[in-house]
């Protein structure tokens, strides 16, 4: 199979490695020849390390490398069976690219965007054959992260969806099919991990380090929300939150935080800038001393986890994705310790309803409205998987 990847940044290069490893003939396209050279050198380094760790042998290394061609002329993509763009997250730029692509590829070529939250329908509308346009959303780093969200637009044909699912499955990835709504599965369902933690901090309940400690200790999350936002970068994380909030017609569930906004405005973007919620200077994070209070940790954990469960339940209720795909998305896309709907079953649907109702009764804010599916399941004594 002939695959073209547009954009040789970290994500595009990672997707190229995945496709090449699966045996595809890959063309990695970028107008910037220096970026292509950097991508080629980075792949050499990555594969050499895998050989040193005995994850692959030298024969496999050269096979993968030889499956990738680095091109800077768009006409070189004309024989592609599948094109995946991984360029800047800007709708108009993507629409212009897809419109142009149709001048070079065959009418049977599948055109896909790696966008994390933009409308696939809008991208598809820029094409003369919108039925062949898909969303194929990889997670960073693409070679390591198991999940790929597959997003058909309203225009996408059933045949193209079926072909795309088979292609990505053949690449040994876990597929989660999502409806074309803002944030798809992961970037929608994960919002409360950040927003409710920020809300707890802004209320003066406790500090960043204690919230992080509570969610790692009781929840089993690999990173706390403030550590993770610093790692992702506030310029990225805040913009996704703002985009989802706007796209959902300013639903208060997705309301951004002024605390994070001020960090972006100050240029305190997290690890990449040396300062975010925490400081990353030469001296270790001395300020990161959590208050190891088990009662406080329980309160923090329960408040964040029920908000996550509530959003996952709403995603299921609104037919964005199946229960299985939602839980796969969160465990394999962002390494959550458990699927949130399975977690709801474990904690008890009645517990979830009571806990979210407690928050609503305390705040009387719409952000704390209980998902109708949780209320219905509780009434009928049902669970998601049992």
């Amino acid at each position: 199979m002939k695959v073209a990847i547009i954009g040789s940044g970290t994500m595009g290069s990672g997707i190229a490695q995945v496709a090449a490893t699966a045996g595809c003939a890959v063309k990695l396209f970028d107008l910037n020849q220096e970026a292509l050279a950097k991508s080629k050198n980075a792949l050499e380094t990555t594969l050499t390390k895998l050989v040193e760790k005995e994850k692959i042998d030298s024969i496999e290394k050269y096979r993968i490398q030889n499956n990738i061609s680095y091109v800077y002329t768009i006409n070189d993509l004309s024989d592609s069976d599948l094109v995946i763009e991984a360029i800047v997250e800007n709708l108009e730029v993507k629409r212009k690219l897809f419109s142009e692509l149709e001048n070079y590829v065959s009418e049977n070529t599948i055109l896909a965007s790696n966008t994390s939250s933009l409308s696939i329908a809008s991208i598809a509308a820029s094409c003369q054959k919108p039925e062949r346009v898909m969303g194929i959303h990889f997670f960073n780093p693409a070679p390591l992260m198991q999940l790929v969200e597959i997003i058909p637009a309203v225009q996408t044909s059933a045949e193209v969806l079926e072909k795309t699912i088979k292609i990505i499955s053949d690449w040994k990835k876990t597929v989660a099919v999502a409806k074309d709504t803002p944030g798809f599965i992961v970037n929608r369902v994960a919002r409360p991990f950040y927003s409710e933690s920020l809300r707890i901090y802004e209320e003066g309940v406790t500090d960043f380090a204690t919230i992080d400690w509570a969610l790692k200790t009781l929840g089993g999350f690999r990173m706390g929300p403030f550590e993770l936002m610093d790692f992702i970068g506030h310029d990225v994380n805040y913009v996704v939150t703002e985009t989802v909030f706007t796209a959902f017609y300013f639903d208060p569930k997705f309301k951004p935080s002024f605390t994070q906004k001020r960090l972006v405005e100050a240029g305190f973007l997290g690890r990449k800038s040396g300062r975010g919620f925490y400081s990353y200077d030469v001296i270790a994070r001395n300020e990161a001393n959590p208050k190891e209070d088990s009662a406080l940790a329980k309160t923090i954990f329960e408040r964040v986890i029920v908000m996550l469960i509530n959003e996952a339940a709403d995603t299921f209720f609104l037919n964005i994705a199946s229960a299985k795909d939602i839980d796969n998305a969160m465990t394999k896309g962002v390494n959550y310790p458990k699927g949130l709907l399975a977690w709801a079953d474990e904690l008890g649907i009645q517990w979830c309803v009571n806990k979210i109702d407690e928050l609503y009764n305390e705040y009387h804010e719409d952000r704390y409205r209980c998902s109708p599916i949780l209320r219905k399941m509780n009434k009928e004594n049902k669970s998601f998987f049992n």
Side-chain angles (χ1 to χ4, degrees):
M1 182 178 188
K2 296 178 180 179
V3 177
I5 311 296
I6 299 179
S8 63
T10 302
M11 183 58 79
S13 297
I15 298 170
Q17 182 184 333
V18 170
T21 302
C24 299
V26 180
K27 289 180 179 176
L28 183 57
F29 167 79
D30 202 305
L31 292 173
N32 187 331
Q33 294 181 52
E34 290 183 10
L36 287 172
K38 183 179 178 181
S39 174
K40 188 174 184 179
N41 291 334
L43 180 64
E44 166 68 29
T45 300
T46 297
L47 295 179
T48 297
K49 287 179 180 177
L50 290 176
V51 171
E52 291 170 352
K53 294 177 181 178
E54 299 184 348
K55 298 287 182 70
I56 61 173
D57 57 27
S58 57
I59 295 174
E60 174 69 356
K61 172 188 171 181
Y62 292 121
R63 184 188 72 83
I64 294 169
Q65 287 178 312
N66 289 336
N67 278 344
I68 303 178
S69 303
Y70 299 83
V71 301
Y72 53 89
T73 304
I74 196 168
N75 194 47
D76 288 333
L77 312 184
S78 60
D79 61 349
S80 303
D81 301 306
L82 167 66
V83 178
I84 303 175
E85 69 81 12
I87 61 172
V88 63
E89 194 75 342
N90 179 291
L91 181 59
E92 290 311 310
V93 173
K94 291 182 189 294
R95 282 170 55 87
K96 182 179 178 183
L97 171 64
F98 274 69
S99 178
E100 183 182 359
L101 273 172
E102 286 196 308
N103 296 321
Y104 298 96
V105 300
S106 81
E107 62 179 21
N108 296 318
T109 302
I110 296 173
L111 303 180
S113 173
N114 184 61
T115 179
S116 60
S117 60
L118 296 176
S119 165
I120 306 302
S122 183
I123 295 171
S126 67
C127 295
Q128 294 177 14
K129 287 179 61 65
E131 65 274 12
R132 44 103 160 258
V133 177
M134 287 288 309
I136 303 181
H137 179 218
F138 286 80
F139 290 78
N140 198 24
L144 298 181
M145 299 306 289
Q146 188 64 28
L147 181 79
V148 178
E149 291 178 326
I150 299 292
I151 309 98
V154 291
Q155 305 99 311
T156 307
S157 72
E159 180 186 6
V160 167
L161 173 58
E162 186 179 334
K163 281 184 178 179
T164 304
I165 291 172
K166 185 179 187 309
I167 290 167
I168 301 303
S169 298
D170 287 347
W171 291 2
K172 309 301 181 188
K173 293 295 184 181
T174 298
V175 168
V177 179
K179 191 181 288 185
D180 184 14
T181 55
F184 311 135
I185 303 172
V186 171
N187 278 318
R188 173 187 180 144
V189 175
R191 298 307 350 128
F193 189 63
Y194 314 114
S195 63
E196 198 59 25
S197 299
L198 281 158
R199 178 68 179 262
I200 291 167
Y201 166 76
E202 289 175 340
E203 289 177 9
V205 174
T206 190
D207 55 26
F208 306 135
T210 301
I211 297 169
D212 279 348
W213 170 79
L215 288 165
K216 288 189 292 183
T217 303
L218 292 187
F221 292 95
R222 294 186 185 184
M223 298 178 76
F226 298 100
E227 291 175 319
L228 185 54
M229 283 185 278
D230 272 1
F231 179 77
I232 294 169
H234 298 289
D235 52 334
V236 175
N237 185 267
Y238 178 78
V239 168
V240 172
T241 299
E242 194 174 46
T243 300
V244 171
F245 178 55
T246 303
F248 275 108
Y249 306 108
F250 306 103
D251 187 326
K253 288 194 303 179
F254 304 111
K255 187 177 180 179
S257 158
F258 281 115
T259 298
Q260 190 177 27
K261 187 175 192 292
R262 295 294 180 257
L263 289 182
V264 174
E265 292 169 342
F268 297 162
L269 305 181
R271 287 180 180 271
K272 67 177 76 175
S273 68
R275 181 173 172 182
F277 291 116
Y278 299 106
S279 175
Y280 297 91
D281 57 15
V282 178
I283 302 171
R285 292 182 354 215
N286 292 326
E287 73 271 34
N289 296 313
K291 302 175 182 68
E292 298 188 7
D293 180 328
S294 58
L296 177 60
K298 183 173 183 287
T299 298
I300 293 166
F301 164 70
E302 289 183 348
R303 184 166 163 180
V304 173
I305 197 64
V306 79
M307 290 295 281
L308 282 166
I309 287 169
N310 196 50
E311 194 53 48
D314 236 16
T315 302
F316 174 70
F317 173 65
L318 296 171
N319 294 305
I320 307 303
S322 69
K324 179 183 176 183
D325 279 355
I326 291 167
D327 273 12
N328 275 338
M330 303 316 292
T331 55
K332 299 180 185 300
V334 279
N335 288 323
Y336 278 18
K338 299 175 187 175
L340 292 168
L341 300 180
W343 218 332
D345 286 350
E346 181 182 308
L347 290 168
I349 302 300
Q350 184 174 356
W351 180 90
C352 296
V353 171
N354 291 344
K355 187 60 63 174
I356 199 75
D357 281 350
E358 282 177 21
L359 289 168
Y360 182 82
N361 290 336
E362 179 176 353
Y363 293 98
H364 288 280
E365 292 182 38
D366 203 34
R367 75 185 267 129
Y368 298 114
R369 64 185 186 271
C370 181
S371 173
I373 194 68
L374 288 177
R375 217 175 279 290
K376 183 174 187 291
M377 290 171 66
N378 183 46
K379 185 178 179 180
E380 298 174 355
N381 196 28
K382 291 183 178 179
S383 58
F384 285 102
F385 296 106
N386 300 331

